[in-house]
Amino acid sequence: FFSEAADSAESAHPIGGWEEFQKYLDKNKKIASADSAIKGLEIISFVVGKNGKLSSFLLMKSLSAAHDAAAIRLIKQGPSWINPKGKKMRMTISISF
């Protein structure tokens, strides 16, 4: 798991911090298809708006369509985001399956 500028206090981040976000991902990542045997890294880029709203999801590295859907679902349904700079910020994270 990584994030662009994850160490920066100026960076957008999930409420509860990165450690809690990682726990959420680990607890909730499930693939309910034949693709579940595929292991690896999904890398997803998205925009955190000034109000913390997530949009413009881009897949930077894909394992399968099922993994893509699961990764985006995890991010969308996960903790809310805080954007301290108050302007749109593109973030990139990876999720290990």
Side-chain angles (χ1 to χ4, degrees), residues 1 13-26 28 46 48 52-54 57 72-82 93:
F1 168 78
H13 56 276
I15 289 176
W18 292 109
E19 190 174 322
E20 288 301 314
F21 186 67
Q22 184 62 51
K23 287 178 189 174
Y24 159 78
L25 293 176
D26 291 341
N28 293 287
F46 56 94
V48 181
K53 184 173 165 61
L54 308 181
F57 286 81
I72 291 171
R73 175 190 54 81
L74 278 167
I75 295 167
K76 284 183 174 181
Q77 293 178 356
S80 297
W81 285 68
I82 297 170
I93 67 168

Side-chain angles (χ1 to χ4, degrees), residues 24-96:
Y24 159 78
L25 293 176
D26 291 341
K27 180 179 176 188
N28 293 287
K29 61 184 172 189
K30 294 175 183 68
I31 305 292
S33 75
D35 292 339
S36 64
I38 300 172
K39 302 294 181 213
L41 213 54
E42 281 273 324
I43 301 177
I44 303 102
S45 174
F46 56 94
V47 171
V48 181
K50 56 186 170 186
N51 60 357
K53 184 173 165 61
L54 308 181
S55 64
S56 303
F57 286 81
L58 296 173
L59 292 154
M60 311 301 281
K61 182 175 182 222
S62 171
L63 294 172
S64 74
H67 286 82
D68 299 347
I72 291 171
R73 175 190 54 81
L74 278 167
I75 295 167
K76 284 183 174 181
Q77 293 178 356
S80 297
W81 285 68
I82 297 170
N83 189 340
K85 285 195 172 183
K87 59 184 177 187
K88 289 183 180 180
M89 183 178 293
R90 181 158 288 280
M91 300 296 292
T92 303
I93 67 168
S94 66
I95 301 174
S96 178

